[in-house]
Amino acid sequence: LKMLFPAAEGGFVIGVTGSPGAGKSTLVDQLARVYRRQDEKVGIVAVDPTSPFSGGAILGDRIRMQSLSTEPGVFIRSMATRGKMGGLSAAVNDALLVLAAAGYKKLIVETVGVGQDEVDIVKTAHVSLVLLVPGMGDDIQAIKAGIMEIGDIFVINKADHAGLNRIEQELKNLLSIVSRPDGWTPEIVRTVATRGEGIEQLAQAIDRYREFLGTPGKEEERRLPLARERLMDMLRERIARELFARIPESELDEYARRMMDRELDPYTIVEHLLLRAGLEERR
Ligand SMILES: Nc1nc2c(ncn2[C@@H]2O[C@H](COP(=O)(O)OP(=O)(O)OP(=O)(O)O)[C@@H](O)[C@H]2O)c(=O)[nH]1
Ligand SMILES: [Mg+2]
């Protein structure tokens, strides 16, 4: 990863999020086709919710995007949401780094828009697409609660369904009350992913946002805090790993028991453990 890092320059990450079944995979498939026509190599990382039954990634996305998976110039990888050392977004970031270094400069990440992990992933993308579908009143509520802030472009997919104007109006109302610090006004694009309608327009909206990011100062304004956050995450993970490597499980159990018996308070225990691991100075 260290060696690949410089070669990963120029990778442009497109995050796609939305409720289960909103049409994300279908849309990603179509968008990848648009990029293939422009002769761009496309890397796709689909973050599958971990199945409670198999404990692994559901293969649904790969099956749905099967038509693409045999296409040269397209690489598809599914990742499960749980059990990733150092967190899911770290694992996704690493995968994107490898893909970008291998020349896949258009990178698409699909995640279901629930949970902090997903929000983190989409946040680190260069551009974030939030998918909505008509006729889901609750959907917009959920959006309001979490992912409203992260959408650079809102896609109303399944525009062939009833209720299109209603959801668009609701979305416009919501967008009119939030003003972004960077001055960007999120665009709204209508698509029918199954028929490939609106996908060219979506690609153009993405290009416009990319141009906006290219205006002096903007990219840095957005990317710098994210780079900092990424560093902090990696440090946090590394420090925790180092720390736990120095504290035997049995000792943790023993301290937990003494805490439970009110023999020792947790504040003192934490100080002891940090001191023992050499991460705190004796006072
Ligand atoms: N009518 C209509 N159906 C669509 C459209 N886009 C996708 N679908 C259908 O919606 C269903 C779900 O599509 P997916 O692309 O699998 O949705 P997803 O958001 O990736 O689903 P998860 O990954 O399971 O969260 C499929 O049956 C698609 O064929 C659309 O624009 N119009
Ligand atoms: Mg999907």
Side-chain angles (χ1 to χ4, degrees):
L1 288 171
K2 282 180 191 166
M3 285 193 285
L4 291 179
F5 188 79
E9 204 193 344
F12 186 71
V13 182
I14 302 162
V16 180
T17 192
S19 328
K24 298 178 293 295
S25 299
T26 315
L27 186 101
V28 166
D29 180 293
Q30 293 288 340
L31 191 58
R33 280 164 208 285
V34 170
Y35 290 141
R36 280 311 291 147
R37 284 200 289 275
Q38 299 170 1
D39 218 29
E40 297 258 25
K41 282 169 85 181
V42 187
I44 300 171
V45 177
V47 178
D48 289 331
T50 307
S51 159
F53 305 109
S54 69
I58 303 165
L59 293 176
D61 281 307
R62 256 188 281 193
I63 291 159
R64 266 176 227 129
M65 291 193 266
Q66 214 164 34
S67 52
L68 258 187
S69 61
T70 52
E71 157 97 33
V74 177
F75 189 98
I76 306 176
R77 175 81 159 86
S78 279
M79 292 182 120
T81 50
R82 254 173 283 164
K84 281 278 176 291
M85 181 75 172
L88 180 68
S89 51
V92 170
N93 266 308
D94 290 349
L96 294 174
L97 171 62
V98 174
L99 283 167
Y104 295 84
K105 298 298 183 188
K106 283 283 198 287
L107 300 160
I108 311 179
V109 184
E110 173 191 337
T111 77
V112 173
V114 285
Q116 193 55 46
D117 271 354
E118 277 78 2
V119 172
D120 283 349
I121 291 166
V122 176
K123 238 171 47 187
T124 59
H126 290 94
V127 57
S128 303
L129 314 185
V130 173
L131 252 75
L132 300 170
V133 290
M136 291 177 83
D138 301 341
D139 212 43
I140 206 134
Q141 291 304 323
I143 297 285
K144 230 197 245 181
I147 46 180
M148 191 69 203
E149 299 81 17
I150 60 175
D152 302 311
I153 296 167
F154 288 86
V155 180
I156 305 181
N157 189 42
K158 306 199 183 182
D160 53 330
H161 282 189
L164 174 66
N165 291 328
R166 189 170 157 232
I167 192 154
E168 184 158 346
Q169 198 49 55
E170 275 183 49
L171 182 58
K172 279 183 177 156
N173 292 346
L174 269 176
L175 289 174
S176 68
I177 53 172
V178 289
S179 85
R180 289 177 41 140
D182 64 357
W184 170 257
T185 310
E187 291 194 36
I188 301 173
V189 183
R190 302 171 169 200
T191 58
V192 181
T194 36
R195 291 194 231 129
E197 288 172 25
I199 309 295
E200 294 275 357
Q201 286 84 339
L202 175 60
Q204 286 161 13
I206 293 170
D207 285 344
R208 277 192 292 275
Y209 185 67
R210 192 174 190 170
E211 273 165 37
F212 170 81
L213 282 182
T215 49
K218 284 297 175 207
E219 165 108 45
E220 193 167 305
E221 194 180 306
R222 176 172 171 144
R223 307 298 309 169
L224 194 67
L226 288 173
R228 196 174 183 282
E229 215 172 294
R230 174 97 206 277
L231 273 179
M232 295 279 286
D233 278 348
M234 288 179 68
L235 266 174
R236 246 191 299 265
E237 196 261 324
R238 185 66 180 268
I239 290 170
R241 201 162 8 118
E242 298 277 330
L243 177 67
F244 288 118
R246 295 179 199 187
I247 304 169
E249 288 279 331
S250 56
E251 198 168 319
L252 276 178
D253 287 343
E254 176 58 18
Y255 273 125
R257 195 196 54 72
R258 293 173 72 183
M259 177 181 153
M260 199 177 65
D261 293 343
R262 305 254 153 199
E263 208 181 287
L264 262 180
D265 68 87
Y267 314 98
T268 306
I269 296 175
V270 166
E271 277 175 12
H272 279 188
L273 288 174
L274 287 180
L275 198 66
R276 198 177 164 302
L279 289 174
E280 192 169 83
E281 303 278 302
R282 195 176 295 276
R283 263 174 276 173

